[in-house]
Amino acid sequence: MLIRVDPARSTPLADQIAASVRRGIAEGSAGAGERLPAARQLADSLGVSIHTVLAGYQQLRDEGLIELRRGRGAIVCAGSPAGRAAVVEIAQQLVAAARRIDLDDEEIITMVRAAAATR
Amino acid sequence: MKARAVLGGAPHLVAVTPAIVLLATAGARLPDPVATHFGPAGHADQFTDRWTLALITAALGVGMAAIFAVVSHRSGARWTVAASGATAGWLGAVLFACAAANLDLTDASAASLPAWTFPLAVVAAGAASLIGFAVPKAAAVAGPRSVPTMELGATEQVSWSRSVGAWWLVLLGGSLIAAGAALGVLVRPGVGLAVGVAGALAALLATGRVTVDRRGLTVAFGPFGWPRIRVAAAEIAAAEVADVKPTQFGGWGYRIVPGGRGVIFRSGEALVVTRRSGSQLTVTVDDPATAAALLGAISDRRER
């Protein structure tokens, strides 16, 4: 699991951490059940605040990629985490493309529903 | 490797045999119940019937034989076979002495451990450990390969980490803790404590996390991240990748060998970090090429 952050980039550090972990899961370098580094250790390792790491981990939990358990740390979810991480990345690209042409959230969701209905 | 499993397991089966034979054949000369546990002064303080004691002794022998057969087979190191011989010799002597202490007594509470118990145990342990020399010597280490360094942005911070460990070492540690508890109750608290502590250490060192970042290489053991080995970035002369076998390090787990140290959980790809002093730390970990590439980039950045 390779986690890269660059404070010089405009993307928030928490998003950069989440993106790194997501990439690792998508590429299979962290499989189901793999334990992520403890938030405190990763914060020390990267020289960032523990709140930044926790914010990144919470994003990943909301995306259904990891489980956060008190005292047990962050664990990659069972199932097919690599496929799920790839879908989350595509969803982000979809939203980014839609935002570039000023589509609002409702329109994006309508489009996804329409696409899902044809399959 | 099969020979090592046999060499590792057999001493325990042999060691419990005298005590079992004595319990099984000397029924007329043994009290009922027999003394099974002796206090610090060597006087009997716990009792059971002789067939139960024979069964427990046999189970202990089979259990220890199984554990050491697996460990010797997986490790391939001669010291595991030597350690099996030593523990078997010790246990065999103590178990035999416990049974023999009951001979020709009508009341087991009069039993006391013979004075020859511990001298015999030491001699038996020493002699039986020589079986380690029956194991062929370890092979030489193959040269490590260097890898291209990773591209890093000027302000970028990177952290690479992987969990490492061997489930069977966790199992071994757990079994030793259980065996220690059983021995503490049946034989002597001190013997049980020694085995239990060895088990706890094995379990603690059976898993860990390898981290590479701006500070260098860190290997943190166990669920608490302690104990910990760190090689500071400033100390690192080279970070490379090699294929290693546990036999090169004399076994599994945390190893000290001529020229360096190893954290060895399996055979295969490993990260090899050479200090400026020339000593090496070898860690078996998945994807060591990324770790080596990152350590190279971190060293380059420090030198700029």
Side-chain angles (χ1 to χ4, degrees):
Chain A
M1 173 72 59
L2 185 66
I3 297 170
R4 313 178 69 137
V5 298
D6 191 344
R9 281 169 55 198
S10 59
T11 317
L13 288 175
D15 294 4
Q16 293 185 34
I17 291 170
S20 283
V21 175
R22 204 181 293 118
R23 201 84 280 277
I25 295 173
E27 286 168 355
S29 68
E34 172 87 16
R35 194 180 294 269
L36 299 186
R40 159 60 50 206
Q41 279 155 23
L42 183 57
D44 288 346
S45 184
L46 289 170
V48 302
S49 145
I50 187 170
H51 303 293
T52 307
V53 174
L54 286 172
Y57 278 7
Q58 273 149 18
Q59 272 184 37
L60 295 161
R61 183 195 56 196
D62 294 346
E63 293 161 3
L65 292 174
I66 66 169
E67 282 173 55
L68 289 178
R69 291 199 199 127
R70 188 168 290 277
R72 291 205 56 215
I75 295 164
V76 177
C77 285
S80 45
R84 196 179 178 96
V87 172
V88 172
E89 286 183 340
I90 292 167
Q92 290 180 333
Q93 289 161 17
L94 169 75
V95 171
R99 291 268 154 79
R100 277 197 290 277
I101 57 165
D102 293 327
L103 293 181
D104 65 25
D105 291 0
E106 276 311 309
E107 287 174 294
I108 298 169
I109 290 163
T110 309
M111 280 178 176
V112 172
R113 285 229 175 83
T118 63
R119 293 281 176 124
Chain B
M1 282 304 207
K2 212 171 240 174
R4 285 168 189 154
V6 174
L7 283 173
H12 285 277
L13 298 179
V14 175
V16 294
T17 307
I20 294 171
V21 168
L22 182 71
L23 288 168
T25 59
R29 292 175 61 196
L30 291 170
D32 186 27
V34 292
T36 57
H37 183 276
F38 298 85
H43 299 295
D45 58 9
Q46 280 176 31
F47 309 90
T48 185
D49 76 273
R50 67 185 172 109
W51 289 113
T52 307
L53 181 59
L55 202 69
I56 290 170
T57 306
L60 184 68
V62 171
M64 294 293 278
I67 292 168
F68 273 101
V70 170
V71 171
S72 301
H73 175 72
R74 301 289 309 246
S75 141
R78 48 169 49 185
W79 75 264
T80 56
V81 174
S84 173
T87 47
W90 178 274
L91 274 177
V94 171
L95 290 168
F96 180 74
C98 287
N102 289 286
L103 274 178
D104 299 324
L105 295 176
T106 45
D107 178 9
S109 61
S112 63
L113 271 186
W116 47 262
T117 304
F118 290 100
L120 174 72
V122 169
V123 170
S129 68
L130 297 179
I131 194 175
F133 288 106
V135 177
K137 254 196 161 157
V141 183
R145 309 180 292 276
S146 55
V147 295
T149 60
M150 190 182 287
E151 297 282 330
L152 286 190
T155 54
E156 197 174 20
Q157 289 299 349
V158 185
S159 171
W160 178 93
S161 72
R162 283 270 176 166
S163 50
V164 293
W167 62 267
W168 63 271
L169 273 174
V170 179
L171 205 66
L172 167 72
S175 314
L176 281 177
I177 292 170
L183 282 173
V185 173
L186 286 173
V187 188
R188 254 170 182 269
V191 176
L193 192 69
V195 175
V197 166
L201 263 177
L204 191 64
L205 295 178
T207 60
R209 177 169 281 276
V210 182
T211 305
V212 170
D213 55 30
R214 67 202 148 85
R215 299 170 297 187
L217 169 70
T218 310
V219 183
F221 288 99
F224 317 109
W226 186 92
R228 195 166 68 177
I229 305 170
R230 177 167 289 168
V231 184
E235 274 184 68
I236 296 174
E240 295 161 306
V241 174
D243 283 312
V244 299
K245 288 198 178 80
T247 45
Q248 297 164 333
F249 292 87
W252 301 68
Y254 176 63
R255 322 296 316 167
I256 298 172
V257 291
R261 295 178 292 169
V263 178
I264 309 297
F265 288 117
R266 53 163 175 73
S267 56
E269 281 199 309
L271 174 66
V272 182
V273 169
T274 308
R275 291 191 160 136
R276 296 201 187 280
S277 67
S279 81
Q280 288 185 325
L281 177 63
T282 303
V283 185
T284 56
V285 60
D286 293 344
D287 192 22
T290 303
L294 177 55
L295 278 172
I298 288 163
S299 292
D300 287 353
R301 181 190 269 178
R302 292 183 67 87
E303 279 159 20
R304 249 183 252 133

